[in-house]
Amino acid sequence: MEKDGKSNLEEVMSIDSEEDTAPKIGENVDTKEDITPKIGMEFDSEDEAYLYYNIYVGYVGFNICRDWKISAAQAAEAELANRSGIRQKLLFEFMSKQAGGRENLGFTLKDISNHLQSKRMREMKEGEAFTLIHYFEMRKSENASFFYEIQLDVDDQITNIFSADPKIFVDYDLFGDVVCFDTMYRTNKNHSPLAPIIGVNHHRQSVVFGVALLYDEIAETFSWLFRTLLKASCGKKLVAIFTDQEPAMAKAIAEVLPKSHHRLCRWHIYQNALKKLNRYFQSSNSFAAEFKSCMCDHEYEDTFFQAWESMLDKNGLC
C-alpha cells in the first residue's frame, strides 16, 4: 500500500537515512507511527519486501536471512523417487543439476530427508507405532534379554528400529567376529530398507544377529544402527564387516567401527562384474570360471594376484 505517494519501503528507507535519530523499536521517529510489518502491506517485488523487513528488524535488533522450503513440485518429485527406491543423495544430485548447481536449488539434502520423514509419519496408520512398541514390550516381559531400540526424530516420531532375540546374543558372542550387512531387502509399502545383520556359524549356516527397519540410507542412520549393535552386544567389536559399495555406509563404519576391516560383499562384486564386463562373460566360455576362481579359490594374496593378472592378460584386459 502507498501513503502520501510513498511506498512502505520508501517511507522506511527515509527513516533509515536520517542521522542522529534514536527511534523506538519499530517506530517512525518523525510521525511516531509504528512501522512493524502488518497484514495488508504490498510491495512491488520479493526483494523490496525483503529489504523493507530487513530495515525493520535492524531497529528491533536482530538479523534475518532468506530461506526456502521445498516447493510443491520438488516435494512431489522427491516423494515419487522415494517410492521408486531411488536414494536421496542421487535425487539431490539430479535436482541440483536441473537447477544449475546446488547454490540455485534453495534447499539441502537434509531438507529432502526431513520432508520425506515428516510425510512418512503423517501417513503412518493410527496405532501402528503403538502396536509395534506393545509387541516389543511383550517380548521383553517374556524374556528380559530381548533387545530393541527405537530412534525418534525431533518431533518424537519413530524413524529407525532395531531388534534382536535373546538367542542372537549367544550366537553373536560365538560367531559375531565377521558379519554381512545389506539393505537390499525392501518389502514394505514405503520401500524402507530392511537390514538384517548376518553371520555364519561353525556349520556354515547363516545366523541372523539382528534386524533393523530403517527410514533411509544416509550416514547418520547407519551410524545409529552400528552404535545400537554395539550397545546390544555389550561393546563387542567386529573384526570384519562385509557390505555393498554404499558410500554412506562406509562413512558410518569408519566413524563407529574404525578398527573393523570393511570389505565388499562377494555377491555385489560379482554383480558389478556382470554389469561392467558382460561382453567378456558372453564371449568367453572360460572367463566366468576364471573370475569365480579368483574370487573363491585363493587364500593368499600372492597367488590371488598371479591368477588375477593371468586372467586379465588372457582376456586382453590389461
Side-chain angles (χ1 to χ4, degrees):
M1 295 189 305
E2 294 189 356
K3 183 177 180 179
D4 298 330
K6 291 185 177 181
S7 70
N8 296 143
L9 178 62
E10 291 173 332
E11 182 175 344
V12 175
M13 290 192 69
S14 67
I15 300 169
D16 191 55
S17 63
E18 294 181 8
E19 298 180 357
D20 300 322
T21 61
K24 296 180 180 179
I25 292 177
E27 183 180 79
N28 184 322
V29 68
D30 292 329
T31 65
K32 304 300 181 182
E33 181 183 1
D34 185 9
I35 61 171
T36 302
K38 299 177 179 63
I39 295 176
M41 284 185 171
E42 296 180 358
F43 299 90
D44 293 334
S45 67
E46 179 183 332
D47 288 337
E48 187 173 297
Y50 174 73
L51 181 57
Y52 168 85
Y53 193 62
N54 210 23
I55 293 171
Y56 161 72
V57 299
Y59 284 113
V60 176
F62 63 91
N63 295 318
I64 62 169
C65 64
R66 274 186 288 193
D67 194 19
W68 295 264
K69 291 301 132 195
I70 300 174
S71 71
Q74 292 166 329
E77 185 176 4
E79 291 161 17
L80 178 61
N82 185 59
R83 288 194 297 270
S84 302
I86 298 175
R87 290 172 177 168
Q88 293 175 17
K89 184 177 181 181
L90 293 179
L91 171 65
F92 181 71
E93 294 299 331
F94 175 73
M95 296 174 81
S96 297
K97 290 180 180 178
Q98 284 185 316
R102 295 185 180 186
E103 64 279 4
N104 300 322
L105 199 54
F107 56 86
T108 66
L109 176 59
K110 185 64 176 175
D111 292 327
I112 292 180
S113 178
N114 288 340
H115 171 77
L116 293 175
Q117 184 169 294
S118 298
K119 183 176 186 297
R120 178 192 176 202
M121 296 312 154
R122 290 195 301 270
E123 292 178 343
M124 179 179 281
K125 290 182 179 179
E126 184 176 356
E128 275 188 344
F130 173 79
T131 301
L132 179 65
I133 295 174
H134 177 73
Y135 170 75
F136 285 156
E137 285 298 316
M138 181 186 68
R139 292 293 308 276
K140 198 168 185 68
S141 67
E142 295 171 351
N143 190 323
S145 295
F146 177 82
F147 180 90
Y148 77 92
E149 190 88 350
I150 294 176
Q151 186 183 37
L152 304 178
D153 64 8
V154 293
D155 298 317
D156 290 331
Q157 301 290 336
I158 294 175
T159 54
N160 301 307
I161 303 164
F162 175 85
S163 65
D165 287 323
K167 183 179 180 299
I168 288 174
F169 299 120
V170 177
D171 291 334
Y172 190 79
D173 186 57
L174 294 172
F175 311 115
D177 292 330
V178 179
V179 303
C180 181
F181 177 64
D182 200 344
T183 58
M184 293 289 288
Y185 309 95
R186 295 171 184 267
T187 58
N188 69 346
K189 65 181 180 181
N190 292 320
H191 298 280
S192 298
L194 178 67
I197 300 173
I198 301 172
V200 178
N201 66 16
H202 56 305
H203 295 298
R204 293 197 172 184
Q205 297 171 324
S206 295
V207 179
V208 179
F209 297 131
V211 177
L213 185 63
L214 306 177
Y215 173 68
D216 53 28
E217 297 178 81
I218 61 176
E220 290 80 4
T221 295
F222 291 129
S223 293
W224 172 85
L225 177 58
F226 295 140
R227 288 193 181 97
T228 302
L229 178 62
L230 289 175
K231 180 179 177 181
S233 62
C234 299
K236 178 181 173 66
K237 300 295 192 297
L238 294 173
V239 175
I241 179 170
F242 288 82
T243 73
D244 61 15
Q245 292 180 304
E246 172 56 50
M249 199 180 298
K251 180 180 178 181
I253 292 171
E255 176 188 344
V256 182
L257 305 168
K259 295 184 179 179
S260 299
H261 299 288
H262 181 202
R263 300 292 182 261
L264 300 181
C265 176
R266 186 172 66 187
W267 185 88
H268 287 287
I269 293 176
Y270 197 79
Q271 292 301 309
N272 286 335
L274 287 174
K275 293 178 183 177
K276 303 291 185 182
L277 304 172
N278 184 58
R279 67 188 184 95
Y280 294 97
F281 281 96
Q282 296 293 332
S283 62
S284 173
N285 294 327
S286 62
F287 184 79
E290 292 171 353
F291 187 86
K292 183 177 180 181
S293 177
C294 287
M295 295 291 296
C296 305
D297 297 341
H298 300 283
E299 184 176 354
Y300 299 102
E301 187 176 291
D302 56 347
T303 59
F304 163 77
F305 279 115
Q306 289 174 9
W308 184 260
E309 304 241 344
S310 175
M311 180 191 70
L312 296 181
D313 183 61
K314 180 179 177 180
N315 293 277
L317 288 167
C318 294

